[in-house]
Amino acid sequence: AHGAVSGPRRADGVVGWRGSQLGAMGEVVLAACSEGILGTDLRSGALVATFEETTPQPHAFGLIGGSGHLFAVQSKKALWHAWSWGDKKPCYRASLPEKMTAMAFSHDASLCFGGSVAGSIYVWQMGTGCLLRYWPAHFREVTQLIVSQDGSFLVSGSADANVHVYNLADIFVEQTPKPFHSWSGHSLAVTSLALLPGTALRQVVASASLDRSVRLWDISTGQPVMSRSLASPIHSICSNPTGSEIFCACRNGEIRSFSPSCGSEEGDGVLLGHTGAVLSCALSADGSLAASCSEADGVRIWETRTRQCIAQAHTSRNVQVNAVQIVQRSAVASQPPAFQPFQRLLTSVGEVRPVPVAIAGRAEMLKDAMEPHTSPERFVDYLLWSQAGESSDSMGTREELEKQRAAAEAGQARWAAAAAGLYAALVEAGVDSSLPVHTTMPMPSAPQPPATVLAAVHAETPTPPAVGAVAVEEEPRAAVVAAAAGLAAGGLKKKRKRRH
């Protein structure tokens, strides 16, 4: 469309690799160039948006959090602009305290973080424009700022070869925030940063430098995880959604990829096609497609599985593209954030009034509402609560079982006494002469004949209940009857032997 895309032409005349129809919601490749920002549909290659009146900084343009609006910082002036989708002209313009080389927003677009050419970091509240924090973080210009997806950390890279990680909670507690971790493993300027997938302390920061190395750092321990050296200085890095592969845009025109979990270079890949230095690279949401740019031949779209270039964009335009991003364009137009001029004087955090925040829509609201209920701790709490509810419902059943157990024990005691009396009566009657009559076994006060004892036992014992206690009382009864029969049989045999 408009001569913006060149690539394999199908029989129906469509240029690109997956048709020309742009869906209501899809991924867009944003290319920062001398004419502004050019938006190209990732799947069809059609030019879908143009944002004018800006020359963006490579690491200071993109989406404003989850609001669906774009921003860009001027590369040569202390200004920043904001656009709505479909509008060429900015809907908001504002000045900055000094020239910014990096800018990022929190996911809810409530906070703006700016890194200056002097190495300072600014924190503004979007709804009021209040300057909440300002401190000298680096000795040279800040090259990139990124905010973790869960909003817990701010990571900064600088031309002074250092990488700092700040806990966002500590930023608003200390007047001059101190880094949660500070890494100085690079020997030249840090050019790009990336956060591998994770939450809270279970996150890994990847940093690239002009010293031709990519280093991985563990936020939880602050220790280096691994380091990989390449053949050329690295301008930009990005990671796939699972963190299993990292892509590096190199000065020698190559895009190198490697796996952080593989120590050797056997699984490394390379994407070849650019005729000049690759300045930037980005990956789609599912990691199947990649976009890269070079000042010599514009933007290229790659299929990561085959590592082949499937389309080119902006080749017919006389523009120099210095950075690319892949963003999600929503089908529903959202309200712009509450823009206010950024102040230059610090405001106490306690004096800041609450303001509404910008979100992406109903899906984001549902996700935010359900997130507190999906943690492992909440799952354990729900499990304990459910067990407590079941136990309270079964208290009546437990009391009934206690009563049945007491009744069974009483029945066993009666049958034991009856068995003792029966055996004593048998010995007294001479049926069993194995024990003397004056045995020390407990004797009832008034021994009865065996038949009378059995009849009394049957009359005294109540009918056993239908549950639980039947099996408990039937066993002593059968044992007594069997014992009586055995003793009687033994006595008869002895009398017969004496007669013979």
Short mmCIF file of all heavy atoms in Angstrom, two decimals, residues 5-42:
data_model
loop_
_atom_site.label_atom_id
_atom_site.label_comp_id
_atom_site.label_asym_id
_atom_site.label_seq_id
_atom_site.Cartn_x
_atom_site.Cartn_y
_atom_site.Cartn_z
N VAL A 5 5.62 -1.32 0.78
CA VAL A 5 6.05 -2.70 0.99
C VAL A 5 6.52 -3.28 -0.32
O VAL A 5 5.91 -3.10 -1.36
CB VAL A 5 4.89 -3.56 1.55
CG1 VAL A 5 5.34 -4.98 1.71
CG2 VAL A 5 4.42 -2.99 2.87
N SER A 6 7.62 -3.99 -0.28
CA SER A 6 8.07 -4.77 -1.42
C SER A 6 8.36 -6.17 -0.95
O SER A 6 8.81 -6.38 0.16
CB SER A 6 9.35 -4.16 -2.02
OG SER A 6 10.41 -4.22 -1.09
N GLY A 7 8.08 -7.15 -1.80
CA GLY A 7 8.25 -8.54 -1.40
C GLY A 7 7.69 -9.44 -2.47
O GLY A 7 7.37 -9.01 -3.58
N PRO A 8 7.52 -10.74 -2.17
CA PRO A 8 6.97 -11.66 -3.15
C PRO A 8 5.54 -11.30 -3.51
O PRO A 8 4.70 -11.08 -2.65
CB PRO A 8 7.03 -13.01 -2.41
CG PRO A 8 7.10 -12.66 -0.96
CD PRO A 8 7.84 -11.38 -0.89
N ARG A 9 5.26 -11.18 -4.82
CA ARG A 9 3.93 -10.79 -5.29
C ARG A 9 3.17 -12.05 -5.69
O ARG A 9 3.62 -12.88 -6.46
CB ARG A 9 4.05 -9.86 -6.50
CG ARG A 9 2.69 -9.35 -7.01
CD ARG A 9 2.90 -8.38 -8.14
NE ARG A 9 3.60 -7.19 -7.71
CZ ARG A 9 3.00 -6.13 -7.19
NH1 ARG A 9 1.69 -6.12 -7.03
NH2 ARG A 9 3.71 -5.08 -6.83
N ARG A 10 1.95 -12.17 -5.13
CA ARG A 10 1.12 -13.33 -5.43
C ARG A 10 0.40 -13.14 -6.77
O ARG A 10 0.48 -12.09 -7.40
CB ARG A 10 0.08 -13.53 -4.32
CG ARG A 10 0.73 -13.71 -2.96
CD ARG A 10 -0.29 -14.09 -1.92
NE ARG A 10 -1.60 -13.47 -2.13
CZ ARG A 10 -2.53 -13.44 -1.19
NH1 ARG A 10 -2.30 -13.96 -0.02
NH2 ARG A 10 -3.70 -12.88 -1.44
N ALA A 11 -0.33 -14.18 -7.16
CA ALA A 11 -1.02 -14.13 -8.45
C ALA A 11 -2.11 -13.07 -8.47
O ALA A 11 -2.46 -12.54 -9.52
CB ALA A 11 -1.63 -15.50 -8.75
N ASP A 12 -2.69 -12.76 -7.29
CA ASP A 12 -3.76 -11.77 -7.27
C ASP A 12 -3.23 -10.35 -7.15
O ASP A 12 -3.99 -9.40 -6.96
CB ASP A 12 -4.74 -12.05 -6.12
CG ASP A 12 -4.01 -12.14 -4.78
OD1 ASP A 12 -2.79 -11.92 -4.76
OD2 ASP A 12 -4.68 -12.44 -3.77
N GLY A 13 -1.89 -10.16 -7.20
CA GLY A 13 -1.30 -8.84 -7.20
C GLY A 13 -1.01 -8.27 -5.83
O GLY A 13 -0.55 -7.13 -5.73
N VAL A 14 -1.26 -9.03 -4.75
CA VAL A 14 -1.02 -8.54 -3.40
C VAL A 14 0.45 -8.69 -3.08
O VAL A 14 1.05 -9.75 -3.30
CB VAL A 14 -1.88 -9.32 -2.38
CG1 VAL A 14 -1.53 -8.89 -0.96
CG2 VAL A 14 -3.36 -9.08 -2.66
N VAL A 15 1.06 -7.62 -2.59
CA VAL A 15 2.46 -7.65 -2.21
C VAL A 15 2.55 -8.00 -0.74
O VAL A 15 1.87 -7.41 0.08
CB VAL A 15 3.13 -6.29 -2.48
CG1 VAL A 15 4.57 -6.30 -2.02
CG2 VAL A 15 3.06 -5.96 -3.96
N GLY A 16 3.41 -8.92 -0.40
CA GLY A 16 3.58 -9.33 0.99
C GLY A 16 3.53 -10.84 1.07
O GLY A 16 3.82 -11.53 0.09
N TRP A 17 3.14 -11.34 2.24
CA TRP A 17 3.20 -12.80 2.40
C TRP A 17 1.94 -13.39 2.97
O TRP A 17 1.76 -14.59 2.96
CB TRP A 17 4.38 -13.17 3.28
CG TRP A 17 4.21 -12.87 4.72
CD1 TRP A 17 4.29 -11.67 5.32
CD2 TRP A 17 3.92 -13.79 5.74
NE1 TRP A 17 4.07 -11.76 6.65
CE2 TRP A 17 3.85 -13.07 6.95
CE3 TRP A 17 3.72 -15.18 5.79
CZ2 TRP A 17 3.59 -13.66 8.17
CZ3 TRP A 17 3.46 -15.77 7.01
CH2 TRP A 17 3.40 -15.02 8.17
N ARG A 18 1.00 -12.56 3.49
CA ARG A 18 -0.22 -13.14 4.05
C ARG A 18 -1.44 -12.28 3.71
O ARG A 18 -2.25 -11.97 4.57
CB ARG A 18 -0.13 -13.29 5.56
CG ARG A 18 0.72 -14.47 5.99
CD ARG A 18 0.52 -14.78 7.44
NE ARG A 18 1.30 -15.92 7.85
CZ ARG A 18 1.31 -16.41 9.07
NH1 ARG A 18 0.57 -15.87 9.99
NH2 ARG A 18 2.05 -17.46 9.38
N GLY A 19 -1.56 -11.83 2.51
CA GLY A 19 -2.75 -11.12 2.10
C GLY A 19 -2.71 -9.65 2.47
O GLY A 19 -1.79 -9.17 3.10
N SER A 20 -3.75 -8.91 2.03
CA SER A 20 -3.76 -7.47 2.23
C SER A 20 -4.86 -6.99 3.15
O SER A 20 -5.00 -5.80 3.35
CB SER A 20 -3.94 -6.78 0.87
OG SER A 20 -5.16 -7.19 0.28
N GLN A 21 -5.69 -7.91 3.69
CA GLN A 21 -6.79 -7.48 4.55
C GLN A 21 -6.27 -7.28 5.96
O GLN A 21 -5.70 -8.17 6.56
CB GLN A 21 -7.91 -8.55 4.55
CG GLN A 21 -8.56 -8.75 3.19
CD GLN A 21 -9.24 -7.49 2.72
OE1 GLN A 21 -9.81 -6.74 3.49
NE2 GLN A 21 -9.20 -7.26 1.41
N LEU A 22 -6.49 -6.09 6.49
CA LEU A 22 -6.08 -5.78 7.85
C LEU A 22 -7.23 -6.06 8.80
O LEU A 22 -8.33 -5.56 8.64
CB LEU A 22 -5.69 -4.30 7.96
CG LEU A 22 -5.27 -3.81 9.36
CD1 LEU A 22 -4.04 -4.55 9.82
CD2 LEU A 22 -5.07 -2.32 9.35
N GLY A 23 -6.98 -6.92 9.78
CA GLY A 23 -8.02 -7.25 10.74
C GLY A 23 -8.30 -6.09 11.67
O GLY A 23 -7.59 -5.10 11.75
N ALA A 24 -9.41 -6.23 12.38
CA ALA A 24 -9.78 -5.17 13.32
C ALA A 24 -8.80 -5.06 14.47
O ALA A 24 -8.67 -4.02 15.08
CB ALA A 24 -11.20 -5.43 13.86
N MET A 25 -8.12 -6.14 14.77
CA MET A 25 -7.16 -6.12 15.87
C MET A 25 -5.97 -6.93 15.44
O MET A 25 -6.08 -8.08 15.05
CB MET A 25 -7.79 -6.71 17.14
CG MET A 25 -6.88 -6.71 18.33
SD MET A 25 -7.74 -7.31 19.79
CE MET A 25 -6.42 -7.19 21.01
N GLY A 26 -4.78 -6.33 15.44
CA GLY A 26 -3.59 -7.05 15.01
C GLY A 26 -2.34 -6.35 15.48
O GLY A 26 -2.38 -5.32 16.15
N GLU A 27 -1.21 -6.92 15.09
CA GLU A 27 0.08 -6.38 15.47
C GLU A 27 0.60 -5.45 14.38
O GLU A 27 0.46 -5.74 13.19
CB GLU A 27 1.07 -7.51 15.72
CG GLU A 27 0.73 -8.32 16.97
CD GLU A 27 1.69 -9.47 17.18
OE1 GLU A 27 1.60 -10.45 16.42
OE2 GLU A 27 2.52 -9.40 18.11
N VAL A 28 1.19 -4.36 14.80
CA VAL A 28 1.67 -3.32 13.90
C VAL A 28 3.15 -3.11 14.17
O VAL A 28 3.60 -3.04 15.32
CB VAL A 28 0.89 -2.01 14.09
CG1 VAL A 28 1.44 -0.91 13.19
CG2 VAL A 28 -0.59 -2.23 13.81
N VAL A 29 3.93 -2.98 13.08
CA VAL A 29 5.35 -2.67 13.17
C VAL A 29 5.51 -1.16 13.12
O VAL A 29 5.15 -0.52 12.12
CB VAL A 29 6.14 -3.35 12.03
CG1 VAL A 29 7.63 -3.01 12.16
CG2 VAL A 29 5.93 -4.86 12.05
N LEU A 30 6.01 -0.58 14.20
CA LEU A 30 6.27 0.85 14.24
C LEU A 30 7.72 1.10 13.87
O LEU A 30 8.64 0.53 14.50
CB LEU A 30 5.99 1.41 15.64
CG LEU A 30 4.55 1.29 16.16
CD1 LEU A 30 4.45 1.89 17.55
CD2 LEU A 30 3.56 1.96 15.22
N ALA A 31 7.95 1.93 12.86
CA ALA A 31 9.29 2.25 12.40
C ALA A 31 9.56 3.73 12.62
O ALA A 31 8.86 4.59 12.07
CB ALA A 31 9.44 1.91 10.91
N ALA A 32 10.56 4.01 13.45
CA ALA A 32 10.95 5.40 13.72
C ALA A 32 11.92 5.85 12.65
O ALA A 32 12.97 5.24 12.45
CB ALA A 32 11.58 5.51 15.11
N CYS A 33 11.57 6.93 11.96
CA CYS A 33 12.40 7.40 10.85
C CYS A 33 12.41 8.93 10.84
O CYS A 33 11.84 9.59 11.71
CB CYS A 33 11.90 6.85 9.52
SG CYS A 33 10.23 7.38 9.10
N SER A 34 13.03 9.47 9.82
CA SER A 34 13.16 10.92 9.70
C SER A 34 11.83 11.60 9.39
O SER A 34 11.67 12.80 9.62
CB SER A 34 14.17 11.26 8.61
OG SER A 34 13.82 10.64 7.38
N GLU A 35 10.83 10.88 8.88
CA GLU A 35 9.52 11.43 8.57
C GLU A 35 8.54 11.31 9.72
O GLU A 35 7.41 11.78 9.61
CB GLU A 35 8.93 10.75 7.32
CG GLU A 35 9.66 11.08 6.04
CD GLU A 35 8.96 10.51 4.82
OE1 GLU A 35 7.90 9.85 5.01
OE2 GLU A 35 9.46 10.71 3.71
N GLY A 36 8.91 10.64 10.79
CA GLY A 36 8.02 10.41 11.91
C GLY A 36 8.00 8.93 12.28
O GLY A 36 9.05 8.28 12.35
N ILE A 37 6.80 8.40 12.50
CA ILE A 37 6.62 6.98 12.83
C ILE A 37 5.69 6.38 11.80
O ILE A 37 4.58 6.87 11.59
CB ILE A 37 6.05 6.81 14.25
CG1 ILE A 37 6.97 7.45 15.29
CG2 ILE A 37 5.86 5.33 14.57
CD1 ILE A 37 6.42 7.41 16.69
N LEU A 38 6.13 5.32 11.15
CA LEU A 38 5.34 4.61 10.14
C LEU A 38 4.84 3.31 10.74
O LEU A 38 5.63 2.52 11.27
CB LEU A 38 6.18 4.34 8.89
CG LEU A 38 6.84 5.57 8.24
CD1 LEU A 38 7.70 5.14 7.05
CD2 LEU A 38 5.79 6.58 7.80
N GLY A 39 3.51 3.10 10.64
CA GLY A 39 2.90 1.88 11.15
C GLY A 39 2.54 0.93 10.02
O GLY A 39 1.77 1.28 9.13
N THR A 40 3.09 -0.30 10.07
CA THR A 40 2.86 -1.30 9.03
C THR A 40 2.25 -2.54 9.65
O THR A 40 2.73 -3.02 10.69
CB THR A 40 4.19 -1.67 8.33
OG1 THR A 40 4.81 -0.48 7.84
CG2 THR A 40 3.94 -2.63 7.18
N ASP A 41 1.20 -3.06 9.02
CA ASP A 41 0.60 -4.29 9.52
C ASP A 41 1.59 -5.44 9.40
O ASP A 41 2.18 -5.66 8.33
CB ASP A 41 -0.68 -4.61 8.75
CG ASP A 41 -1.35 -5.86 9.27
OD1 ASP A 41 -1.82 -5.85 10.42
OD2 ASP A 41 -1.40 -6.86 8.53
N LEU A 42 1.77 -6.17 10.49
CA LEU A 42 2.78 -7.22 10.51
C LEU A 42 2.44 -8.36 9.57
O LEU A 42 3.33 -8.95 8.95
CB LEU A 42 2.94 -7.74 11.95
CG LEU A 42 3.94 -8.88 12.17
CD1 LEU A 42 5.36 -8.42 11.85
CD2 LEU A 42 3.86 -9.39 13.61
#
